[in-house]
Amino acid sequence: MLARRRLVALAVLAGLPALSMAQATLPAIAVKTAADGGQSYSLTLQILILMTVLTLLPAILLAMTAFTRIIIVLSILRQALGMSTTPSNQVLTGLALFMTFFVMSATLDQSFSRGIKPYLDGQIAGEVALDRTVGPLKKFMLAQTRESDLALFSKLSGKPPYATADDVPLVVLLPTFMTSELKTAFQIGFMVFIPFLVIDLVVASVLMSMGMMMLSPVLVSLPFKIMLFVVVDGWTLLLGTLASSFHQ
């Protein structure tokens, strides 16, 4: 017992210099108000905000970008082809991610040039930078949002109709945008599914008329669906349609 107490005491004494050094090198969280009313934050608080944003990045990608519509349509295409694992989830996610960057390149450039870059250069305060960064994203989301969905969520929130698009808060815009994206994605997915469904019906009818009921229609129709998709240059046609469906 005496030896254990001595070890604990030595550990505490050894940790005191490191603790004092950490207190000397890490600045406390501080918010300074400038003469024009703007606020600047200490380095520790900036790092904390950055880590929080990185944690919320997947949610931001799903709720504020074109990623949701693209990944849903690609998943419906895979189901229509009858291949549950090809292309793999990693391939579809990577394709949807880079298609999202392609579609939203202009919006992301505006957010960076108007909000993030001036803030990093020390030209504007954090609140102003946040508003300027979110502004182009709100404009993109409003362009894809249906007025009926916006009216519904505005009514559910208990707020009157908004005079301008800038008056719509994110707490109302985010669920409205997600609902509109899901509806649009299922509409495009329905149009993609129809040609492959026709092939399945034709193959099933032919096999039934030939008495080959033990042979799976899915196994026979799969080569025809792949051939049809390749002949019409399906990937280029589908991705081009998806990219053009985002109007701004």
Side-chain angles (χ1 to χ4, degrees):
M1 181 64 69
L2 183 59
R4 183 179 300 176
R5 291 180 179 177
R6 289 179 178 177
L7 289 175
V8 173
L10 288 175
V12 172
L13 291 175
L16 286 177
L19 181 61
S20 61
M21 184 179 298
Q23 292 177 350
T25 56
L26 291 178
I29 296 177
V31 180
K32 298 180 180 179
T33 304
D36 57 353
Q39 293 180 342
S40 60
Y41 304 97
S42 64
L43 181 61
T44 305
L45 186 56
Q46 292 178 5
I47 295 176
L48 178 62
I49 295 174
L50 177 61
M51 296 302 295
T52 304
V53 171
L54 291 177
T55 304
L56 297 176
L57 189 60
I60 295 174
L61 180 66
L62 290 174
M64 301 180 68
T65 66
F67 182 82
T68 299
R69 182 189 304 186
I70 297 173
I71 192 63
I72 289 178
V73 173
L74 293 178
S75 300
I76 293 177
L77 170 66
R78 184 172 64 179
Q79 292 295 326
L81 286 172
M83 298 183 293
S84 58
T85 58
T86 304
S88 63
N89 292 330
Q90 292 83 354
V91 173
L92 290 184
T93 303
L95 180 58
L97 185 62
F98 285 104
M99 277 294 298
T100 301
F101 290 150
F102 172 77
V103 171
M104 301 195 61
S105 58
T107 302
L108 297 177
D109 289 341
Q110 292 178 6
S111 296
F112 180 79
S113 60
R114 296 179 182 179
I116 298 177
K117 189 176 185 302
Y119 176 71
L120 295 178
D121 295 338
Q123 299 175 358
I124 57 177
E127 294 83 357
V128 179
L130 181 61
D131 292 338
R132 293 185 180 181
T133 303
V134 175
L137 293 174
K138 288 182 62 176
K139 182 180 178 181
F140 172 82
M141 290 188 289
L142 284 170
Q144 321 305 323
T145 300
R146 293 177 173 83
E147 294 183 0
S148 58
D149 295 335
L150 183 59
L152 172 63
F153 282 97
S154 299
K155 181 180 178 181
L156 292 176
S157 64
K159 297 180 180 180
Y162 302 100
T164 61
D166 296 333
D167 298 333
V168 181
L170 282 177
V171 68
V172 176
L173 182 57
L174 286 178
T176 305
F177 174 72
M178 290 291 292
T179 304
S180 298
E181 285 294 284
L182 289 173
K183 184 176 181 179
T184 304
F186 276 87
Q187 289 176 344
I188 299 176
F190 173 77
M191 301 303 296
V192 171
F193 212 105
I194 291 299
F196 301 108
L197 179 61
V198 172
I199 294 178
D200 286 333
L201 291 175
V202 171
V203 171
S205 300
V206 171
L207 292 178
M208 185 71 68
S209 62
M210 295 176 62
M212 304 174 64
M213 290 174 291
M214 298 300 295
L215 185 60
S216 174
V218 177
L219 182 62
V220 178
S221 63
L222 179 59
F224 293 100
K225 290 190 287 188
I226 294 177
M227 181 182 65
L228 173 65
F229 193 69
V230 173
V231 167
V232 300
D233 199 6
W235 286 113
T236 302
L237 184 62
L238 178 62
L239 296 179
T241 303
L242 278 174
S244 61
S245 66
F246 294 95
H247 49 279
Q248 299 189 34

